[in-house]
Amino acid sequence: MSNKIIRLENLHKSYVMGKNSLHVLKGIDMNIEEGEMVAIMGSSGSGKSTLLNILGILDNYDEGAYYLNDILIRKMSEKKAAQFRNKYIGFIFQSFNLISFKTALENVALPLYYQNVNRKKRNAIALEYLDRMGLKEWAHHLPSEMSGGQKQRIAIARALISKPKIILADEPTGALDTQTSYEVMDILHEVNESGITVIIVTHETDIADRTQRIIRLRDGLIESGESVNTGAETSAVAG
Amino acid sequence: MIDYFEEIISTLKQNKLRAIMTGFSVSWGIFMLIILLGSGKGLEHGMEYNFSNTVKNSIWVYSGKTSESYDGLKAGRRIQFTNEDYDMLKQKLSGIDNISGRLYLFDELMVTYKNEYGKYNVTCVMPEFGKIKIMDFNKGRFLNYYDTKYFRKVAVVSEPIVDVLMKGVDKPVGKYIKLGGIPFKIVGVFTDPEDKKSKDIYIPLSTGQRVFNGGNKIRNLAISTEATTVAGNKKIENQLRNLLARKHRFSVDDKKAIYVNNTLEHFKQAQGAFAGINGFIWVIGVMTIIAGIVGVSNIMIILVKERTKEIGIRKAIGASPGSVVRLILSESILITSIAGFTGLLLGMGVLFIVDKIVSKAIENGADQMNYIFNHPSADFNIAITATLVLILAGLIAGYVPAKRAAAIKPIEALHDE
């Protein structure tokens, strides 16, 4: 059991809007093993974003259970949730979500600021991560001076710097052209190979095919969860 | 801690114009408060100067004419004080420090020194008078007990008279001047802090009564009291009225038989008025600052809205709500503090310059300035209070926006449009 980094049991989530209640997740059972690379797919309205928010402890759920690294995540205080996010989860977003008035280096170092790592040390670490992304020379540039691919690589560096257990990527290639998309996916593969679980929400089949497993959501339920890709490369070609 | 400030300052640096614009309203508020309070102090000093010529708790009694018939006597009778009144009051009136009778020599007296002469007021007083009216003695002394007892022909003369009559005389004390043809020895030279140009001569009352046919008459009485409250002084005033009314057979309620000038009463009244003005100034100042606070608060709220995404990102990567509150509050406090201190220094600077100009004007002979406005200053206490007000202002200004920032949900903030 201990190698299951994420465990969802009969997860329910509804949004209440006035008198209407919208039942978004209708009992999700899902296991993700440590070190897996998983894609979550589904049309809009299928509940994939909601699921990602719950996995990222950005949102609460109503019923069921969510275990992250064998710890039950339920009705946490915001402070506790922030600590968990900082410790276990790295986020990558479609729109990069870099802080516009901070340099690349400062953006990457920010999670360590919230871990109370002193400035000198965290900047050194951040530079190391930027170097790994091949962006060392861009350390003191602002995000606005960089291309989409570069921005996403900075975002990945930022997600990695706190040494998380899982990376949650919400449409990481949504704003990028195909060539850059594949470059980013390559980086995520490398990340995955270093032992970090990677979960990607996407609606692009060719991106999903580059993962080991695709979880398809439809109307708040898992339609086909366990379909395992045997060869990511071949699927990509087929897609 | 240093790291924490660096984080805030780096954010502010990126938004210099915004920070300056935000701070301006607070700067202005504090500037106005300092100017207002300083001016209030200046006016107050002017008022205090008005009272500096007499001891603050003194009572002056002047005789008048009765206005109503009483005890079988007609109205319109002139009341005349004599030495007996002085002796009686000195014995019977309780709670007094000093009492002095005073006799004016009617018409100005010809005063001569060698070939120089002039006409001046000569007033006959008792030694205690020196403790009731404030005089600055540059040379010599005031009249003393023995001058009175032995009817000495001695005089104290104000500096301006010496300047006119005894030009070039090295040591005026010990020289003789003639008052109405009778030589008096000068024992002291003084200036009147109330009016540096006043030309006055004081001689012992006993001598004056004997030499200038005053008999035992006293024109008026000056009393300094031990009382420090208006009520205390008033009580003494009432006792005094009773004693004099009984002796001179006039109604106690007859306000025209004697006039009583109670300086403590005036002083306290003026003080009360100034307390009122000061309170008013504070209210205006604080209102101005509140306007500043609202301004800062407003801008901070807009700011938080603008920075929703940034705050969302911070929260997603591990910022606790507390740290977000601290971030916004610290920014607000930093802006208000720096802006406020700028205002504080500017205000102090302006007051300093005004003080210099006023002092210069007074030195150059604009004496009347002393009574209106002098030494405008904001003292240390005001500076401290203003500082506390500033920090509090920053807290208040930041509170609402900080709460809003902390309530931002990362999901909504990061939602892609």
Side-chain angles (χ1 to χ4, degrees), chain A residues 53 58-59 78-79 82 85-86 91 93-95 97 99 101-102 110 113-114 119 122 158, chain B residues 3-4 6-7 11 14 309-310 313-319 321 323 410-411 414 416:
Chain A
N53 287 336
L58 295 171
D59 208 349
E78 279 216 52
K79 194 179 172 188
R85 285 196 291 267
N86 190 272
F91 288 95
F93 303 94
Q94 178 177 3
S95 51
N97 281 338
I99 294 175
F101 57 81
K102 284 182 178 290
L110 199 59
Y113 169 75
Y114 288 110
R119 189 179 200 86
R122 68 170 193 257
R158 184 180 65 185
Chain B
D3 222 38
Y4 173 60
E6 272 177 316
E7 178 69 20
T11 313
Q14 298 299 325
K309 191 147 194 160
E310 179 207 330
I313 296 167
R314 283 175 187 275
K315 282 183 120 181
I317 60 177
S323 80
I411 342 165
L414 301 178
D416 295 316

mmCIF file of all heavy atoms in Angstrom, chain A residues 53 58-59 78-79 82 85-86 91 93-95 97 99 101-102 110 113-114 119 122 158, chain B residues 3-4 6-7 11 14 309-310 313-319 321 323 410-411 414 416:
data_model
loop_
_atom_site.group_PDB
_atom_site.id
_atom_site.type_symbol
_atom_site.label_atom_id
_atom_site.label_comp_id
_atom_site.label_asym_id
_atom_site.label_seq_id
_atom_site.Cartn_x
_atom_site.Cartn_y
_atom_site.Cartn_z
ATOM 1 N N ASN A 53 -7.980 20.120 -8.618
ATOM 2 C CA ASN A 53 -7.990 21.043 -7.484
ATOM 3 C C ASN A 53 -8.012 20.304 -6.154
ATOM 4 O O ASN A 53 -7.345 20.700 -5.194
ATOM 5 C CB ASN A 53 -9.195 21.979 -7.564
ATOM 6 C CG ASN A 53 -9.005 23.023 -8.656
ATOM 7 O OD1 ASN A 53 -7.883 23.334 -9.020
ATOM 8 N ND2 ASN A 53 -10.112 23.523 -9.188
ATOM 9 N N LEU A 58 -6.387 22.378 -3.180
ATOM 10 C CA LEU A 58 -6.847 23.745 -3.412
ATOM 11 C C LEU A 58 -8.350 23.822 -3.165
ATOM 12 O O LEU A 58 -8.919 24.892 -3.097
ATOM 13 C CB LEU A 58 -6.547 24.177 -4.849
ATOM 14 C CG LEU A 58 -5.070 24.292 -5.215
ATOM 15 C CD1 LEU A 58 -4.899 24.520 -6.703
ATOM 16 C CD2 LEU A 58 -4.410 25.410 -4.436
ATOM 17 N N ASP A 59 -8.995 22.654 -3.073
ATOM 18 C CA ASP A 59 -10.440 22.613 -2.895
ATOM 19 C C ASP A 59 -10.780 21.446 -1.973
ATOM 20 O O ASP A 59 -9.998 20.498 -1.847
ATOM 21 C CB ASP A 59 -11.114 22.434 -4.265
ATOM 22 C CG ASP A 59 -12.513 23.040 -4.272
ATOM 23 O OD1 ASP A 59 -13.018 23.389 -3.175
ATOM 24 O OD2 ASP A 59 -13.093 23.153 -5.360
ATOM 25 N N GLU A 78 -6.434 26.269 6.318
ATOM 26 C CA GLU A 78 -5.727 26.797 5.151
ATOM 27 C C GLU A 78 -4.217 26.782 5.355
ATOM 28 O O GLU A 78 -3.451 26.571 4.422
ATOM 29 C CB GLU A 78 -6.192 28.228 4.866
ATOM 30 C CG GLU A 78 -7.495 28.278 4.110
ATOM 31 C CD GLU A 78 -7.499 29.438 3.139
ATOM 32 O OE1 GLU A 78 -6.538 29.533 2.352
ATOM 33 O OE2 GLU A 78 -8.435 30.243 3.190
ATOM 34 N N LYS A 79 -3.840 27.006 6.599
ATOM 35 C CA LYS A 79 -2.412 27.052 6.912
ATOM 36 C C LYS A 79 -1.780 25.684 6.683
ATOM 37 O O LYS A 79 -0.730 25.545 6.069
ATOM 38 C CB LYS A 79 -2.237 27.485 8.375
ATOM 39 C CG LYS A 79 -0.824 27.872 8.699
ATOM 40 C CD LYS A 79 -0.696 28.319 10.137
ATOM 41 C CE LYS A 79 0.783 28.505 10.468
ATOM 42 N NZ LYS A 79 0.984 28.761 11.888
ATOM 43 N N ALA A 82 -1.566 24.850 3.070
ATOM 44 C CA ALA A 82 -0.451 25.545 2.436
ATOM 45 C C ALA A 82 0.859 24.814 2.687
ATOM 46 O O ALA A 82 1.682 24.648 1.787
ATOM 47 C CB ALA A 82 -0.369 26.980 2.961
ATOM 48 N N ARG A 85 0.915 21.654 0.527
ATOM 49 C CA ARG A 85 1.193 21.983 -0.867
ATOM 50 C C ARG A 85 2.673 22.263 -1.054
ATOM 51 O O ARG A 85 3.300 21.814 -1.996
ATOM 52 C CB ARG A 85 0.390 23.222 -1.301
ATOM 53 C CG ARG A 85 -1.076 22.960 -1.543
ATOM 54 C CD ARG A 85 -1.708 24.099 -2.336
ATOM 55 N NE ARG A 85 -1.788 25.336 -1.565
ATOM 56 C CZ ARG A 85 -2.850 25.682 -0.849
ATOM 57 N NH1 ARG A 85 -3.910 24.913 -0.793
ATOM 58 N NH2 ARG A 85 -2.858 26.809 -0.186
ATOM 59 N N ASN A 86 3.190 23.029 -0.102
ATOM 60 C CA ASN A 86 4.593 23.414 -0.192
ATOM 61 C C ASN A 86 5.508 22.196 -0.126
ATOM 62 O O ASN A 86 6.523 22.117 -0.817
ATOM 63 C CB ASN A 86 4.913 24.380 0.956
ATOM 64 C CG ASN A 86 6.269 25.011 0.806
ATOM 65 O OD1 ASN A 86 7.253 24.468 1.262
ATOM 66 N ND2 ASN A 86 6.338 26.147 0.120
ATOM 67 N N PHE A 91 3.110 22.637 -8.644
ATOM 68 C CA PHE A 91 2.088 22.956 -9.645
ATOM 69 C C PHE A 91 2.714 23.491 -10.930
ATOM 70 O O PHE A 91 3.664 24.273 -10.901
ATOM 71 C CB PHE A 91 1.136 24.032 -9.124
ATOM 72 C CG PHE A 91 0.211 23.558 -8.053
ATOM 73 C CD1 PHE A 91 0.518 23.722 -6.715
ATOM 74 C CD2 PHE A 91 -0.988 22.940 -8.393
ATOM 75 C CE1 PHE A 91 -0.345 23.290 -5.731
ATOM 76 C CE2 PHE A 91 -1.859 22.511 -7.410
ATOM 77 C CZ PHE A 91 -1.532 22.676 -6.069
ATOM 78 N N PHE A 93 1.081 25.266 -14.498
ATOM 79 C CA PHE A 93 -0.187 25.734 -15.050
ATOM 80 C C PHE A 93 -0.073 26.018 -16.548
ATOM 81 O O PHE A 93 1.025 26.242 -17.061
ATOM 82 C CB PHE A 93 -0.629 27.008 -14.343
ATOM 83 C CG PHE A 93 -0.758 26.859 -12.864
ATOM 84 C CD1 PHE A 93 0.300 27.190 -12.019
ATOM 85 C CD2 PHE A 93 -1.937 26.385 -12.303
ATOM 86 C CE1 PHE A 93 0.173 27.054 -10.653
ATOM 87 C CE2 PHE A 93 -2.061 26.257 -10.927
ATOM 88 C CZ PHE A 93 -0.999 26.585 -10.094
ATOM 89 N N GLN A 94 -1.243 26.053 -17.161
ATOM 90 C CA GLN A 94 -1.280 26.373 -18.591
ATOM 91 C C GLN A 94 -0.695 27.765 -18.868
ATOM 92 O O GLN A 94 0.089 27.960 -19.782
ATOM 93 C CB GLN A 94 -2.723 26.314 -19.091
ATOM 94 C CG GLN A 94 -2.860 26.687 -20.544
ATOM 95 C CD GLN A 94 -4.285 26.540 -21.033
ATOM 96 O OE1 GLN A 94 -5.191 26.207 -20.276
ATOM 97 N NE2 GLN A 94 -4.478 26.757 -22.320
ATOM 98 N N SER A 95 -1.118 28.739 -17.990
ATOM 99 C CA SER A 95 -0.672 30.119 -18.220
ATOM 100 C C SER A 95 0.567 30.466 -17.384
ATOM 101 O O SER A 95 0.786 31.606 -17.046
ATOM 102 C CB SER A 95 -1.814 31.079 -17.912
ATOM 103 O OG SER A 95 -2.339 30.788 -16.639
ATOM 104 N N ASN A 97 1.680 31.155 -14.766
ATOM 105 C CA ASN A 97 1.508 31.763 -13.445
ATOM 106 C C ASN A 97 2.812 32.120 -12.755
ATOM 107 O O ASN A 97 3.054 31.762 -11.601
ATOM 108 C CB ASN A 97 0.672 30.848 -12.537
ATOM 109 C CG ASN A 97 -0.797 30.973 -12.855
ATOM 110 O OD1 ASN A 97 -1.232 31.976 -13.421
ATOM 111 N ND2 ASN A 97 -1.564 29.949 -12.533
ATOM 112 N N ILE A 99 5.181 35.222 -11.273
ATOM 113 C CA ILE A 99 4.924 36.569 -10.760
ATOM 114 C C ILE A 99 5.670 37.554 -11.648
ATOM 115 O O ILE A 99 6.889 37.487 -11.792
ATOM 116 C CB ILE A 99 5.347 36.689 -9.282
ATOM 117 C CG1 ILE A 99 4.439 35.771 -8.446
ATOM 118 C CG2 ILE A 99 5.253 38.124 -8.804
ATOM 119 C CD1 ILE A 99 4.798 35.694 -6.994
ATOM 120 N N PHE A 101 6.522 40.693 -11.720
ATOM 121 C CA PHE A 101 7.540 41.687 -11.369
ATOM 122 C C PHE A 101 8.755 41.067 -10.686
ATOM 123 O O PHE A 101 9.618 41.776 -10.182
ATOM 124 C CB PHE A 101 6.937 42.795 -10.496
ATOM 125 C CG PHE A 101 6.298 42.313 -9.235
ATOM 126 C CD1 PHE A 101 7.057 42.028 -8.120
ATOM 127 C CD2 PHE A 101 4.926 42.154 -9.174
ATOM 128 C CE1 PHE A 101 6.461 41.587 -6.971
ATOM 129 C CE2 PHE A 101 4.319 41.714 -8.011
ATOM 130 C CZ PHE A 101 5.095 41.422 -6.903
ATOM 131 N N LYS A 102 8.775 39.721 -10.678
ATOM 132 C CA LYS A 102 9.952 39.063 -10.101
ATOM 133 C C LYS A 102 10.764 38.418 -11.219
ATOM 134 O O LYS A 102 10.201 37.965 -12.223
ATOM 135 C CB LYS A 102 9.509 38.002 -9.089
ATOM 136 C CG LYS A 102 9.038 38.591 -7.759
ATOM 137 C CD LYS A 102 8.678 37.489 -6.801
ATOM 138 C CE LYS A 102 8.252 38.019 -5.447
ATOM 139 N NZ LYS A 102 9.367 38.591 -4.692
ATOM 140 N N LEU A 110 10.904 31.252 -4.875
ATOM 141 C CA LEU A 110 9.794 31.627 -3.981
ATOM 142 C C LEU A 110 9.291 30.513 -3.039
ATOM 143 O O LEU A 110 9.063 30.769 -1.859
ATOM 144 C CB LEU A 110 8.648 32.216 -4.800
ATOM 145 C CG LEU A 110 7.651 33.056 -4.010
ATOM 146 C CD1 LEU A 110 8.317 34.234 -3.319
ATOM 147 C CD2 LEU A 110 6.531 33.556 -4.909
ATOM 148 N N TYR A 113 11.299 30.428 -0.033
ATOM 149 C CA TYR A 113 11.054 31.547 0.870
ATOM 150 C C TYR A 113 10.008 31.136 1.914
ATOM 151 O O TYR A 113 10.136 31.450 3.094
ATOM 152 C CB TYR A 113 10.577 32.761 0.075
ATOM 153 C CG TYR A 113 10.042 33.885 0.925
ATOM 154 C CD1 TYR A 113 10.893 34.716 1.648
ATOM 155 C CD2 TYR A 113 8.664 34.107 1.024
ATOM 156 C CE1 TYR A 113 10.404 35.725 2.435
ATOM 157 C CE2 TYR A 113 8.165 35.129 1.814
ATOM 158 C CZ TYR A 113 9.045 35.939 2.513
ATOM 159 O OH TYR A 113 8.548 36.941 3.299
ATOM 160 N N TYR A 114 9.009 30.412 1.434
ATOM 161 C CA TYR A 114 7.959 29.983 2.374
ATOM 162 C C TYR A 114 8.386 28.800 3.225
ATOM 163 O O TYR A 114 7.657 28.362 4.100
ATOM 164 C CB TYR A 114 6.649 29.708 1.616
ATOM 165 C CG TYR A 114 6.019 30.994 1.158
ATOM 166 C CD1 TYR A 114 5.974 31.356 -0.174
ATOM 167 C CD2 TYR A 114 5.510 31.901 2.093
ATOM 168 C CE1 TYR A 114 5.438 32.554 -0.584
ATOM 169 C CE2 TYR A 114 4.975 33.107 1.701
ATOM 170 C CZ TYR A 114 4.938 33.441 0.362
ATOM 171 O OH TYR A 114 4.406 34.632 -0.025
ATOM 172 N N ARG A 119 17.956 33.836 1.926
ATOM 173 C CA ARG A 119 17.989 34.317 0.556
ATOM 174 C C ARG A 119 19.161 33.764 -0.255
ATOM 175 O O ARG A 119 19.000 33.302 -1.377
ATOM 176 C CB ARG A 119 18.052 35.853 0.598
ATOM 177 C CG ARG A 119 17.881 36.510 -0.752
ATOM 178 C CD ARG A 119 17.935 38.017 -0.605
ATOM 179 N NE ARG A 119 17.307 38.651 -1.758
ATOM 180 C CZ ARG A 119 16.007 38.890 -1.849
ATOM 181 N NH1 ARG A 119 15.214 38.517 -0.860
ATOM 182 N NH2 ARG A 119 15.498 39.466 -2.914
ATOM 183 N N ARG A 122 18.703 30.028 -0.984
ATOM 184 C CA ARG A 122 17.634 29.676 -1.916
ATOM 185 C C ARG A 122 17.937 30.173 -3.324
ATOM 186 O O ARG A 122 17.573 29.532 -4.306
ATOM 187 C CB ARG A 122 16.275 30.147 -1.413
ATOM 188 C CG ARG A 122 16.033 31.622 -1.350
ATOM 189 C CD ARG A 122 14.561 31.900 -1.058
ATOM 190 N NE ARG A 122 14.279 33.310 -1.291
ATOM 191 C CZ ARG A 122 14.148 34.208 -0.308
ATOM 192 N NH1 ARG A 122 14.246 33.854 0.948
ATOM 193 N NH2 ARG A 122 13.920 35.467 -0.596
ATOM 194 N N ARG A 158 10.367 25.960 -10.686
ATOM 195 C CA ARG A 158 9.745 26.405 -9.449
ATOM 196 C C ARG A 158 8.990 25.256 -8.776
ATOM 197 O O ARG A 158 9.007 25.111 -7.552
ATOM 198 C CB ARG A 158 8.787 27.561 -9.732
ATOM 199 C CG ARG A 158 8.175 28.143 -8.466
ATOM 200 C CD ARG A 158 7.233 29.272 -8.763
ATOM 201 N NE ARG A 158 6.073 28.796 -9.527
ATOM 202 C CZ ARG A 158 5.133 29.601 -10.008
ATOM 203 N NH1 ARG A 158 5.230 30.907 -9.848
ATOM 204 N NH2 ARG A 158 4.118 29.110 -10.678
ATOM 205 N N ASP B 3 15.158 39.075 5.468
ATOM 206 C CA ASP B 3 14.620 38.447 4.282
ATOM 207 C C ASP B 3 13.194 38.908 4.018
ATOM 208 O O ASP B 3 12.813 39.229 2.902
ATOM 209 C CB ASP B 3 14.604 36.938 4.531
ATOM 210 C CG ASP B 3 15.060 36.198 3.306
ATOM 211 O OD1 ASP B 3 15.987 36.696 2.653
ATOM 212 O OD2 ASP B 3 14.487 35.136 3.033
ATOM 213 N N TYR B 4 12.462 38.975 5.116
ATOM 214 C CA TYR B 4 11.063 39.361 5.076
ATOM 215 C C TYR B 4 10.916 40.780 4.536
ATOM 216 O O TYR B 4 10.090 41.075 3.678
ATOM 217 C CB TYR B 4 10.542 39.215 6.498
ATOM 218 C CG TYR B 4 9.162 39.697 6.766
ATOM 219 C CD1 TYR B 4 8.075 39.155 6.089
ATOM 220 C CD2 TYR B 4 8.941 40.671 7.730
ATOM 221 C CE1 TYR B 4 6.810 39.590 6.359
ATOM 222 C CE2 TYR B 4 7.676 41.107 8.005
ATOM 223 C CZ TYR B 4 6.609 40.569 7.313
ATOM 224 O OH TYR B 4 5.367 41.012 7.591
ATOM 225 N N GLU B 6 13.179 42.389 2.778
ATOM 226 C CA GLU B 6 13.635 42.407 1.388
ATOM 227 C C GLU B 6 12.501 42.022 0.452
ATOM 228 O O GLU B 6 12.336 42.594 -0.620
ATOM 229 C CB GLU B 6 14.813 41.442 1.218
ATOM 230 C CG GLU B 6 16.135 42.120 1.515
ATOM 231 C CD GLU B 6 17.298 41.151 1.413
ATOM 232 O OE1 GLU B 6 17.187 40.018 1.922
ATOM 233 O OE2 GLU B 6 18.300 41.519 0.823
ATOM 234 N N GLU B 7 11.720 41.046 0.891
ATOM 235 C CA GLU B 7 10.594 40.592 0.087
ATOM 236 C C GLU B 7 9.602 41.739 -0.145
ATOM 237 O O GLU B 7 9.161 41.982 -1.258
ATOM 238 C CB GLU B 7 9.910 39.408 0.792
ATOM 239 C CG GLU B 7 8.687 38.850 0.088
ATOM 240 C CD GLU B 7 9.015 38.141 -1.211
ATOM 241 O OE1 GLU B 7 10.189 37.756 -1.389
ATOM 242 O OE2 GLU B 7 8.110 37.997 -2.047
ATOM 243 N N THR B 11 8.953 44.189 -3.646
ATOM 244 C CA THR B 11 7.629 44.392 -4.239
ATOM 245 C C THR B 11 7.346 45.880 -4.429
ATOM 246 O O THR B 11 6.871 46.305 -5.482
ATOM 247 C CB THR B 11 6.528 43.797 -3.337
ATOM 248 O OG1 THR B 11 6.919 42.492 -2.950
ATOM 249 C CG2 THR B 11 5.193 43.756 -4.050
ATOM 250 N N GLN B 14 9.183 47.651 -7.262
ATOM 251 C CA GLN B 14 8.624 47.404 -8.589
ATOM 252 C C GLN B 14 7.455 48.329 -8.873
ATOM 253 O O GLN B 14 7.031 48.480 -10.005
ATOM 254 C CB GLN B 14 8.143 45.941 -8.710
ATOM 255 C CG GLN B 14 9.228 44.914 -8.556
ATOM 256 C CD GLN B 14 10.294 45.050 -9.604
ATOM 257 O OE1 GLN B 14 10.002 45.407 -10.734
ATOM 258 N NE2 GLN B 14 11.536 44.797 -9.243
ATOM 259 N N LYS B 309 -3.982 37.353 -8.675
ATOM 260 C CA LYS B 309 -3.291 36.232 -9.298
ATOM 261 C C LYS B 309 -1.991 35.925 -8.559
ATOM 262 O O LYS B 309 -1.705 34.769 -8.222
ATOM 263 C CB LYS B 309 -2.992 36.551 -10.769
ATOM 264 C CG LYS B 309 -2.533 35.342 -11.535
ATOM 265 C CD LYS B 309 -2.992 35.415 -12.972
ATOM 266 C CE LYS B 309 -2.846 34.080 -13.641
ATOM 267 N NZ LYS B 309 -3.668 33.947 -14.820
ATOM 268 N N GLU B 310 -1.247 37.005 -8.292
ATOM 269 C CA GLU B 310 0.024 36.819 -7.598
ATOM 270 C C GLU B 310 -0.193 36.150 -6.239
ATOM 271 O O GLU B 310 0.526 35.218 -5.867
ATOM 272 C CB GLU B 310 0.696 38.184 -7.404
ATOM 273 C CG GLU B 310 2.013 38.103 -6.664
ATOM 274 C CD GLU B 310 2.327 39.380 -5.912
ATOM 275 O OE1 GLU B 310 1.903 40.455 -6.371
ATOM 276 O OE2 GLU B 310 2.978 39.281 -4.864
ATOM 277 N N ILE B 313 -0.935 32.555 -6.683
ATOM 278 C CA ILE B 313 0.280 31.782 -6.940
ATOM 279 C C ILE B 313 1.024 31.519 -5.644
ATOM 280 O O ILE B 313 1.410 30.388 -5.340
ATOM 281 C CB ILE B 313 1.211 32.540 -7.929
ATOM 282 C CG1 ILE B 313 0.535 32.691 -9.290
ATOM 283 C CG2 ILE B 313 2.533 31.810 -8.073
ATOM 284 C CD1 ILE B 313 1.227 33.673 -10.210
ATOM 285 N N ARG B 314 1.193 32.596 -4.861
ATOM 286 C CA ARG B 314 1.895 32.454 -3.592
ATOM 287 C C ARG B 314 1.232 31.392 -2.721
ATOM 288 O O ARG B 314 1.902 30.567 -2.098
ATOM 289 C CB ARG B 314 1.906 33.785 -2.832
ATOM 290 C CG ARG B 314 2.915 34.787 -3.363
ATOM 291 C CD ARG B 314 2.765 36.118 -2.644
ATOM 292 N NE ARG B 314 3.593 37.162 -3.229
ATOM 293 C CZ ARG B 314 4.878 37.369 -2.907
ATOM 294 N NH1 ARG B 314 5.464 36.602 -2.005
ATOM 295 N NH2 ARG B 314 5.556 38.332 -3.476
ATOM 296 N N LYS B 315 -0.102 31.417 -2.706
ATOM 297 C CA LYS B 315 -0.809 30.450 -1.865
ATOM 298 C C LYS B 315 -0.625 29.039 -2.413
ATOM 299 O O LYS B 315 -0.458 28.087 -1.649
ATOM 300 C CB LYS B 315 -2.300 30.799 -1.776
ATOM 301 C CG LYS B 315 -2.563 31.940 -0.824
ATOM 302 C CD LYS B 315 -4.039 32.208 -0.694
ATOM 303 C CE LYS B 315 -4.490 32.046 0.747
ATOM 304 N NZ LYS B 315 -5.933 32.283 0.877
ATOM 305 N N ALA B 316 -0.652 28.904 -3.744
ATOM 306 C CA ALA B 316 -0.516 27.579 -4.338
ATOM 307 C C ALA B 316 0.847 26.976 -4.021
ATOM 308 O O ALA B 316 0.968 25.773 -3.825
ATOM 309 C CB ALA B 316 -0.716 27.664 -5.841
ATOM 310 N N ILE B 317 1.873 27.811 -3.948
ATOM 311 C CA ILE B 317 3.191 27.245 -3.690
ATOM 312 C C ILE B 317 3.566 27.279 -2.226
ATOM 313 O O ILE B 317 4.715 27.075 -1.868
ATOM 314 C CB ILE B 317 4.291 27.927 -4.528
ATOM 315 C CG1 ILE B 317 4.363 29.410 -4.200
ATOM 316 C CG2 ILE B 317 4.064 27.681 -6.002
ATOM 317 C CD1 ILE B 317 5.481 30.093 -4.961
ATOM 318 N N GLY B 318 2.582 27.529 -1.361
ATOM 319 C CA GLY B 318 2.853 27.294 0.051
ATOM 320 C C GLY B 318 2.757 28.487 0.977
ATOM 321 O O GLY B 318 3.174 28.400 2.124
ATOM 322 N N ALA B 319 2.201 29.620 0.521
ATOM 323 C CA ALA B 319 2.026 30.754 1.418
ATOM 324 C C ALA B 319 0.784 30.535 2.271
ATOM 325 O O ALA B 319 -0.280 30.239 1.737
ATOM 326 C CB ALA B 319 1.885 32.044 0.617
ATOM 327 N N PRO B 321 -2.320 31.740 4.846
ATOM 328 C CA PRO B 321 -3.118 32.976 4.892
ATOM 329 C C PRO B 321 -2.450 34.021 5.777
ATOM 330 O O PRO B 321 -2.450 35.205 5.454
ATOM 331 C CB PRO B 321 -4.446 32.517 5.493
ATOM 332 C CG PRO B 321 -4.517 31.068 5.226
ATOM 333 C CD PRO B 321 -3.104 30.559 5.207
ATOM 334 N N SER B 323 0.680 34.536 6.259
ATOM 335 C CA SER B 323 1.800 35.202 5.600
ATOM 336 C C SER B 323 1.305 36.204 4.561
ATOM 337 O O SER B 323 1.951 37.222 4.321
ATOM 338 C CB SER B 323 2.742 34.176 4.963
ATOM 339 O OG SER B 323 2.234 33.731 3.735
ATOM 340 N N PRO B 410 -6.966 30.169 -4.181
ATOM 341 C CA PRO B 410 -6.024 29.986 -5.278
ATOM 342 C C PRO B 410 -6.688 29.456 -6.554
ATOM 343 O O PRO B 410 -6.306 29.865 -7.650
ATOM 344 C CB PRO B 410 -5.020 28.975 -4.737
ATOM 345 C CG PRO B 410 -5.347 28.726 -3.328
ATOM 346 C CD PRO B 410 -6.546 29.511 -2.945
ATOM 347 N N ILE B 411 -7.701 28.581 -6.405
ATOM 348 C CA ILE B 411 -8.328 28.036 -7.604
ATOM 349 C C ILE B 411 -8.901 29.153 -8.461
ATOM 350 O O ILE B 411 -8.732 29.174 -9.662
ATOM 351 C CB ILE B 411 -9.558 27.125 -7.319
ATOM 352 C CG1 ILE B 411 -9.573 26.662 -5.882
ATOM 353 C CG2 ILE B 411 -9.716 26.051 -8.353
ATOM 354 C CD1 ILE B 411 -10.912 26.090 -5.465
ATOM 355 N N LEU B 414 -6.244 31.438 -9.965
ATOM 356 C CA LEU B 414 -5.422 30.844 -11.014
ATOM 357 C C LEU B 414 -6.241 30.379 -12.210
ATOM 358 O O LEU B 414 -5.700 29.866 -13.178
ATOM 359 C CB LEU B 414 -4.639 29.642 -10.442
ATOM 360 C CG LEU B 414 -3.725 29.996 -9.279
ATOM 361 C CD1 LEU B 414 -3.037 28.758 -8.757
ATOM 362 C CD2 LEU B 414 -2.696 31.024 -9.710
ATOM 363 N N ASP B 416 -7.913 30.008 -15.462
ATOM 364 C CA ASP B 416 -7.570 30.586 -16.759
ATOM 365 C C ASP B 416 -8.825 31.081 -17.450
ATOM 366 O O ASP B 416 -9.789 30.345 -17.596
ATOM 367 C CB ASP B 416 -6.881 29.533 -17.639
ATOM 368 C CG ASP B 416 -5.554 29.119 -17.038
ATOM 369 O OD1 ASP B 416 -4.818 30.005 -16.601
ATOM 370 O OD2 ASP B 416 -5.284 27.907 -16.995
#
